[in-house]
Amino acid sequence: MAYVLVPPGATAKTLITEFARYLGIPVATRMTQTQITDAVCHTYTQAGVQLVLIDEIHRLNPRTTTGAQAADLIKDLTERLPATFVYAGINVTETPLFSGTRGAQLAGRATLITCGSLPGRHGTRQPFRDVITDIENALDLEQHKPGTLPRHAAYLHQRTAGRIGSLTRLIRQTAITAIHDGTERITKTALDAVQLDHLAEQHRRPTRNR
């Protein structure tokens, strides 16, 4: 798998350079976009890359000259690489991404999958709790007792609205605080003391009509 982040104001050359950077393909300043693209296609094919995830795709605007060139590059890569392309972005249907001739070409080659927050339960599984367990296993706090965070799965889901980004920020910030104050462990009290992003805090304390 390859993971590529669309840079802000992406041009075709800066985007293909990101593809090269992921696999450590050397890129010299004097190299043209075509040369970099040929090197990327050759290396990705030789490496057997079967899945390409392009993140922050909403940054791409096919209505602009540079955005149109970047969209053409992606179309070219989908034809040259024997891999499945997955695009991830925010509110992509409300951006210029799928508009215009080039946007229509991109939309015609992709199936839209709307992703919501991670549910606390899915049938007999508890995907949110599983994510919490994985994050806790990666912690390196001397006094933290394994299993503490999964026990607070319901609280953490309510606190973060099931958003993985909010969850990781909450646990990371609490862990940093635990290191600084010397407690070296995460408790519910410590989690509750951390202020999260605006969306998460809105979900936690919804505005009530009077």
Side-chain angles (χ1 to χ4, degrees), residues 155-161 163 170 188-210:
Y155 160 78
L156 289 169
H157 192 273
Q158 183 277 332
R159 179 82 194 276
T160 63
R163 297 186 181 93
L170 175 59
K188 185 174 180 296
T189 300
L191 289 165
D192 209 41
V194 174
Q195 183 173 357
L196 273 175
D197 56 274
H198 183 61
L199 280 176
E201 292 297 337
Q202 275 191 320
H203 176 81
R204 183 188 185 193
R205 302 181 180 91
T207 301
R208 297 180 179 178
N209 295 326
R210 295 184 177 179

Side-chain angles (χ1 to χ4, degrees), residues 34-122:
T34 300
Q35 290 174 322
I36 301 172
T37 302
D38 288 342
V40 165
C41 291
H42 173 75
T43 306
Y44 273 55
T45 301
Q46 289 296 110
V49 174
Q50 298 180 349
L51 178 65
V52 177
L53 175 59
I54 303 180
D55 202 359
E56 304 286 353
I57 194 68
H58 56 272
R59 290 177 174 174
L60 199 63
N61 184 358
R63 291 180 180 175
T64 66
T65 301
T66 54
Q69 293 170 350
D72 286 344
L73 169 68
I74 292 177
K75 177 177 175 291
D76 183 37
L77 291 175
T78 61
E79 294 174 346
R80 296 181 61 179
L81 293 178
T84 299
F85 280 67
V86 176
Y87 312 112
I90 301 171
N91 297 330
V92 293
T93 57
E94 299 176 14
T95 69
L97 182 63
F98 292 149
S99 63
T101 303
R102 289 177 172 81
Q105 288 181 327
L106 182 61
R109 293 166 178 265
T111 299
L112 183 65
I113 300 176
T114 302
C115 299
S117 302
L118 191 64
R121 287 185 177 275
H122 184 70

